[in-house]
Amino acid sequence: MDNGVSPCPSLTTNSIIPGYSFYILHYSFYRMHTPPRWADRLLNWFCAPHLLEEVQGDLYERFLRNERLFGLPMARRQYAWEVITFLRPFALKRQPNEQSTTYTLSPAMIRNYLTVARRNLLRNKTFAAINITGLAVGLATCLMIMLYVVHELSYDRYHAKADRMYRMTILGQIEGKALNIAYSSVPAGPTLANDYPGVEAVTRVDNRQGTFIVTRGTESVKEEHVAHADSNFFDTFSIPLLKGRAGDVLTQPNTVVLNESTARKYFGNEDPVGQTITLGTLGLYRVTGVFQDIPSNSHFHYNIIGSLRSLKLRETWLSSGIMTYIVLRPNYAIGQLEARIPEMVRKHISSEMKQLLGVSLSDFQQKGNSFRFGFQPVTDIHLHSHLEGEAEPNGDLKYVYIFSVIAVFILLLACINFMNLSTAGSAGRAREVGVRKVLGSHQGQLIGQFLSESMLVTFMALVIALGLVFMALPAFNRLAGTDFTFSVLVSGGMLPAIFLSSLFIGLLAGSYPAFILSSFKPVSVLKGRLQIGARSGWLRHSLVTVQFMVSISMIIGTLIVYRQLHFIQHKKVGFDKEQVLMVHDTYTLGDKTGAFKSELRKLSQVIDVTSGGYMPAGPTNHSVDGIRLEDGNPQATLYREKSFYIDDRYIHTLGIALAQGRNFLPAHPADQSAVLLNEAAVKRFGFKQPVGQQIWAVGDGSPNSQRRYTVVGVLKDFHFESMHEAIAPLIMFYGEDNYQMAIRIRTGNLPELLKTLATIWKAQTSNPFAYSFLNERFNAMYQSEERVGRLFGIFAGLTIFVACLGLFGLAAFTAQRRTKEIGVRKVLGASVGSVVVLLSRDFLKPVLIALIIATPVAWYGMHQWLQDFAYRINVEWWVFVLAGALAITIALLTVSFQSIKAAMINPVKSLKAE
Amino acid sequence: MKRSYLGEFEELVLLTVATLGQGAYGVAIADELDRQAGRPVSISAVHAALHRLEEKGMLTSHMGDATAERGGRRKRLFSVTALGSRTLHDIRDMRNRLWDNIAPNTLPATGIL
């Protein structure tokens, strides 16, 4: 009822009262003679506009009649009721109307948005290029890191029973030393399978002798990924067999299955099944099947798998080891099994414990020792397990996190660029927004327009990013040591996921400008009163600060990683790793070893030769011995220490210094029971006068395997493990291990020497001649750190690049906006230099603030990373100064390009422009 | 031609529109229905039926002149289209045929006749 007076004429028509007097009467009853206001409002609200007039008219007519007939209260009630009965679809439905169809998401509008977006991009080519390049680089980095992360997380998930597969490990503590071993006792697996109904299957894999010389006919090749497994291996792990049946292939002794590539290597296109190969000294094996190459996302990669029955296993609980995998029955919790482990340990280990260590299990436990079996989900092995004796070096969850964070940051940086450039450029767009609003645009439509612009940019960037990934993938694979293929990105669920995330990124990057720009008031914009750009200045600066914070942190990280790498590679390791040649697999020489050695010694370039089964770097044997300081006293502390078996030439060949006493002497028959210690071992045993002290090795536990040794010398500590570990106590027994040979050489003509060595080798054996250099093997130990360093460097470069792109754009905008100011300044006598300083100063502040914030953050992060190394650098102050100086220099260079350009403009040009 | 079916109420409304001639609009139709069929109908029901009939093409409408008695609001005046007219005739013919086909004295007597 928008016209309160109008109802009266309808009454006057039937009235004898003159109109004038009724008007007065009507006014006094005005509120009473109308239908209920709320009902009217309700009708106004829900009824479709094109129906409203007739409906309201009809209802009003009826209201007047009812009032006449039944009185006002009844009429009002009736009216309200009638309004409510109009709540029907036909009255609610709005009429489609040609003139009002430009709602935000209609196809016509979207087409228009895209047209406008395209024109805008073309008009501002520089900024469009900066935006698209920045986003493309960000997206490409993100995609690359996503490949890595997805791959790391997918380890061992392809097994059909992955969710109930566990690896049985040994956990415990002996004399204060933690026992964390990836394998388990040989009889443990079968015991579980037989006695515990929750265990569906147990598969054991022996990989401890993983390297064999494999011979087929007259050809010999060294194979490094060889294992022996129980016959149900292929039932447990979902590795498809191309030839042979899963249950049959590994049932017989001396049978073997090969992976596809190995089979092709040995047999070409022939059918390998039924053929034979020789595995090292284990004899002839018959090939019974071929399996598909094990996927890269597995925690082991065996190429040759022999049947476990070919090996003679030591069926003891405490002095044997084999990888043991179990499959639980569905719905059986691992906790139930874990709860029964103490019972199993009591039952099976007590007697052996007595024999081996001379103590009962309860005594053993009373002294704070423990021994139990643990279970780790197979899917956790790659990222969470770092036990002794892993099948392969595993990944690290830490790097998954670090790289994910870096990916997010780089993307964030690119988004920030977009936001900054759009808001900075809003001066030009503000007038457009004003005109659009005057012509009737809603804010929603303007938001749609700006978002479609950012979407367009994002998707163009995405296309470029995919191209970049495609091109950069081989290089990335080399760096990260992976073999990702591009097809992973465009297959399966990845593409929709990428598409959706790009949509989200477009929204994120476009949201701020969209909401800010579209909220301008047309009046103030068109009057030119709004100081555009100024209002979002602080935000731009804080966003730039964030960008440089990330960049500076990355620079600091890179510097520290590289310094640490340099440190460990150049730290004095206690032996001379230069000019040492390693000859591999010398055990294949058998009894010709002596002849080979003496041949070598005859060469003038060879200073010394030693049997080097145990080496301080690269592939080496490992052994650990139980040591007691007193004979026969079961209460005496049992030490579990690392041990080497070396000959009398070892320390001379490797250049290890003697601290006390003497080296082994071949002339002394008594030296068979002599022993050398390193300084750490002397400290561990608490010897004041180490030379002459006696120690007992407990052997395998039986009384007659116990032996007495006399310390004859002490070696200066040398790094026999990686720098991640502190130098551990080491006991060196006099013996020979022919696994490999170390040769100290002195030559300027290495190829010639290698040729000579190869000839001598060939004269003794038909096995392949393989060699490496000790310093290369040493450096290889830090390969993963080096890789991290390189990746960090690359990502730091990328973040700086993206951040600088943004800064470049901002500087360009500022210079553009202040053209006239610069002109006036120059007319009034400002020098080019002072103008450059004026323009650059603004950008220095965010970078400085970023430096201040980034320093503690980066310090903390890198401090955590360094904790992984027993030997590490101190984080020094100058690293931060250097990083800051670097960032400031780069920022200044970026900005000054624009500043100088702006300062050089002839003021006549810039002032005339109006 | 397959004719579109009408509900009973729709048919009544359509007939009433025809009855009222020039002055057929919401309230008038409701009143006429009340008078003729003796059943009180809500205006919304009439509007809904009119709306449906217009969608089916049996009615057309135009806005009348503004009248003072409705607070200056115009009426929407309805008239029957050719299709509406034919539909009504069809229904009537069909009914007549049916009536004609009823054998005498099959229907129980309803009155004293």
Side-chain angles (χ1 to χ4, degrees), chain A residues 166-172 179-185 188 192 322-326 338 341 344-345 371-377 381 385-390:
Chain A
Y166 294 84
R167 184 169 71 176
M168 191 177 187
T169 62
I170 294 177
L171 304 173
L179 209 61
N180 294 304
I181 305 175
Y183 41 79
S184 195
S185 313
L192 276 188
I322 192 163
M323 289 283 180
T324 307
Y325 300 90
I326 63 164
E338 274 167 346
I341 289 303
M344 186 169 115
V345 169
F371 183 96
R372 67 188 175 88
F373 296 104
F375 299 92
Q376 47 185 185
I381 291 176
S385 173
H386 300 282
L387 305 178
E388 199 178 303
E390 294 280 359

Side-chain angles (χ1 to χ4, degrees), chain A residues 304-353:
Chain A
I304 298 176
I305 301 176
S307 61
L308 197 59
R309 293 185 62 189
S310 332
L311 301 180
K312 227 177 128 263
L313 297 170
R314 264 168 82 171
E315 296 285 335
T316 57
W317 284 79
L318 285 177
S319 49
S320 68
I322 192 163
M323 289 283 180
T324 307
Y325 300 90
I326 63 164
V327 180
L328 288 186
R329 288 193 194 287
N331 303 323
Y332 191 84
I334 191 69
Q336 285 169 272
L337 191 60
E338 274 167 346
R340 300 184 61 181
I341 289 303
E343 166 201 322
M344 186 169 115
V345 169
R346 254 198 315 280
K347 188 168 160 196
H348 296 280
I349 293 180
S350 295
S351 59
E352 241 181 73
M353 179 80 79

Side-chain angles (χ1 to χ4, degrees), chain A residues 74-258:
Chain A
M74 184 64 184
R76 285 168 69 96
R77 267 203 301 281
Q78 195 69 33
Y79 185 90
W81 172 244
E82 294 264 18
V83 166
I84 289 169
T85 60
F86 262 98
L87 278 167
R88 295 164 179 243
F90 89 93
L92 296 175
K93 198 176 156 200
R94 264 55 179 169
Q95 192 181 37
N97 183 323
E98 270 303 305
Q99 276 75 49
S100 62
T101 47
T102 48
Y103 55 95
T104 313
L105 288 179
S106 75
M109 278 313 275
I110 290 179
R111 217 173 306 130
N112 176 264
Y113 294 153
L114 291 178
T115 313
V116 173
R118 191 170 45 91
R119 285 180 191 157
N120 264 316
L121 293 181
L122 287 178
R123 197 174 312 138
N124 295 320
K125 286 198 190 67
T126 325
F127 301 117
I130 290 175
N131 274 334
I132 293 174
T133 316
L135 270 178
V137 169
L139 278 172
T141 317
C142 233
L143 288 176
M144 218 86 104
I145 294 178
M146 197 166 83
L147 275 179
Y148 163 77
V149 170
V150 167
H151 184 261
E152 287 292 295
L153 295 180
S154 70
Y155 266 72
D156 294 299
R157 291 194 194 277
Y158 64 90
H159 302 300
K161 300 170 191 164
D163 54 329
R164 43 199 176 96
M165 272 162 71
Y166 294 84
R167 184 169 71 176
M168 191 177 187
T169 62
I170 294 177
L171 304 173
Q173 185 126 13
I174 291 185
E175 302 303 330
K177 245 183 113 180
L179 209 61
N180 294 304
I181 305 175
Y183 41 79
S184 195
S185 313
V186 170
T191 308
L192 276 188
N194 292 333
D195 300 354
Y196 296 82
V199 180
E200 182 179 294
V202 170
T203 299
R204 294 171 302 165
V205 181
D206 186 353
N207 62 353
R208 285 190 307 159
Q209 194 189 346
T211 306
F212 285 90
I213 299 290
V214 176
T215 315
R216 192 215 167 202
T218 54
E219 251 179 282
S220 295
V221 182
K222 180 176 166 189
E223 291 289 349
E224 288 182 341
H225 300 280
V226 184
H228 285 78
D230 274 328
S231 60
N232 60 356
F233 181 84
F234 292 100
D235 292 322
T236 305
F237 298 100
S238 302
I239 296 164
L241 274 171
L242 303 174
K243 294 211 167 80
R245 280 222 343 259
D248 302 344
V249 285
L250 294 173
T251 45
Q252 302 296 318
N254 283 47
T255 52
V256 70
V257 281
L258 310 175

Side-chain angles (χ1 to χ4, degrees), chain A residues 405-426:
Chain A
V405 168
I406 289 177
V408 170
F409 271 134
I410 292 185
L411 207 54
L412 183 73
L413 254 53
C415 288
I416 287 178
N417 276 352
F418 188 89
M419 290 185 203
N420 272 350
L421 292 183
S422 341
T423 49
S426 60

Side-chain angles (χ1 to χ4, degrees), chain A residues 175 353-360 363-364 367 369 628 630-638 698 706:
Chain A
E175 302 303 330
M353 179 80 79
K354 194 120 200 151
Q355 200 181 34
L356 182 72
L357 303 176
V359 288
S360 69
D363 283 349
F364 175 76
K367 284 166 77 183
N369 297 320
R628 272 212 191 88
E630 293 168 59
D631 184 22
N633 178 3
Q635 297 305 317
T637 315
L638 178 81
V698 295
Q706 185 144 298

Side-chain angles (χ1 to χ4, degrees), chain A residues 619-635:
Chain A
T620 174
N621 287 343
H622 296 277
S623 54
V624 172
D625 279 87
I627 301 289
R628 272 212 191 88
L629 301 185
E630 293 168 59
D631 184 22
N633 178 3
Q635 297 305 317

Side-chain angles (χ1 to χ4, degrees), chain A residues 8 11 15 17-31 33:
Chain A
C8 60
L11 284 184
S15 171
I17 306 165
Y20 178 68
S21 58
F22 182 78
Y23 260 86
I24 296 166
L25 188 75
H26 172 79
Y27 259 109
S28 58
F29 289 99
Y30 168 64
R31 271 200 55 76
H33 287 267

